[in-house]
Amino acid sequence: MRVFVTGGTGLLGNTILRQLSGAGHDLIALVRGEPDPQVFDGINTTFAHGDLLDQTAIENAVADCDAVIHSAGMIHLGWHRLEESMVVNRDGTQTLVDACLRHDCKLVHVGTVNTLGIADRDSVANEDTPLDHAGGQIPCSYVLSKRAGNEVVLQGVQDGLKAVLVHPGFMLGPWDWKPSSGRMLLEVSKAWRPLSPSGGNSTCDSRDVAAAAIRAAEKLLANEIPSGRQYILAGHNMRYLELWKAMTEAMGAR
């Protein structure tokens, strides 16, 4: 299959490209500037130059593909960049949805578990747990803008789009060039920390998430899964103290 991948310089997008390239698929990767040779070393892909709001670049790439895996996004956990987050995570997704509808292209949209409902202590949440069931992630620019992006995709499904949404947990893995989530690992390794946050997360391997996103695209193309379906791509539920201990043990740090 021929796949257009956004977010190719990020942890998940780069891993998706590597797995697709290794399997011999034809690829187009969206890049905003001149691609870094190190980041794309070993990946056989052509490039579409532009950002998520560049309708011409998006149209040309989508028109030439069977499927899109949309892993690009802006992560900001505070409030100061809400408008910018909405432009990227909502409006950029809208550009892709519109292009996929026009060209009958399948879409795998990468959301996040942060947008989903949270279960109470006596039950287990799934993709369909309503946000008002027991609350949800603490609102911030990232959570609200990613929820808005999900709604754009689900509205596209109502309009005839063939799409699924996948929601990763906290990803760690190789090829985290920026770094993104790997920044936590690096910070924890620098010095002993007397305190950790009281909460936790669902930690998963970015390679597993990439494989699942690719599988979703393949099943969409084969009409083996329903459009509009959402999937949690989670891993091991760990409190931050457990996770930080595992990180420091792996790196021989305190």
Side-chain angles (χ1 to χ4, degrees):
M1 61 181 175
R2 186 162 176 79
V3 188
F4 177 39
V5 179
T6 70
T9 60
L11 169 61
L12 180 58
N14 200 255
T15 307
I16 289 170
L17 285 169
R18 290 179 184 278
Q19 292 187 4
L20 286 168
S21 180
H25 295 291
D26 293 328
L27 303 175
I28 303 176
L30 182 67
V31 291
R32 286 180 290 180
E34 190 62 30
D36 186 334
Q38 182 184 16
V39 173
F40 292 97
D41 183 43
I43 300 173
N44 184 17
T45 184
T46 58
F47 297 101
H49 294 267
D51 58 32
L52 290 172
L53 299 180
D54 188 332
Q55 294 185 357
T56 300
I58 297 297
E59 283 281 342
N60 291 340
V62 170
D64 198 30
C65 287
D66 303 305
V68 175
I69 301 180
H70 177 33
S71 68
M74 179 176 177
I75 302 175
H76 179 70
L77 301 182
W79 280 108
H80 296 299
R81 304 178 72 181
L82 176 59
E83 183 176 348
E84 185 180 356
S85 297
M86 284 292 186
V87 168
V88 175
N89 296 335
R90 180 195 60 198
D91 301 344
T93 301
Q94 185 70 66
T95 304
L96 281 164
V97 166
D98 291 343
C100 286
L101 279 168
R102 278 191 288 270
H103 297 284
D104 192 26
C105 187
K106 309 298 190 294
L107 173 66
V108 176
H109 174 71
V110 178
T112 169
V113 294
N114 299 73
T115 63
L116 304 178
I118 297 176
D120 56 35
R121 292 181 181 272
D122 299 319
S123 61
V124 177
N126 60 28
E127 304 93 320
D128 300 319
T129 300
L131 288 172
D132 60 358
H133 176 66
Q137 182 77 20
I138 295 172
C140 66
S141 297
Y142 179 60
V143 171
L144 295 184
S145 61
K146 288 295 286 184
R147 282 180 184 163
N150 293 348
E151 291 302 317
V152 165
V153 176
L154 292 173
Q155 181 57 55
V157 170
Q158 294 297 315
D159 296 334
L161 176 69
K162 301 299 183 183
V164 296
L165 299 85
V166 295
H167 299 291
F170 180 73
M171 292 179 288
L172 291 171
W175 306 301
D176 193 2
W177 298 102
K178 295 183 178 180
S180 54
S181 53
R183 189 177 305 160
M184 180 190 291
L185 188 150
L186 295 174
E187 290 296 325
V188 170
S189 71
K190 286 180 180 178
W192 175 71
R193 309 285 171 172
L195 299 171
S196 72
S198 60
N201 60 40
S202 185
T203 306
C204 50
D205 191 317
S206 55
R207 291 165 292 191
D208 292 336
V209 175
I214 294 168
R215 188 65 175 146
E218 292 171 342
K219 283 185 169 290
L220 261 181
L221 285 167
N223 295 314
E224 294 178 354
I225 52 177
S227 183
R229 183 75 162 83
Q230 303 192 53
Y231 298 91
I232 293 175
L233 306 182
H236 301 279
N237 293 330
M238 304 176 72
R239 290 198 171 276
Y240 284 111
L241 181 59
E242 295 177 86
L243 178 60
W244 287 11
K245 283 182 176 180
M247 287 177 172
T248 52
E249 287 172 5
M251 294 180 288
R254 185 180 178 187

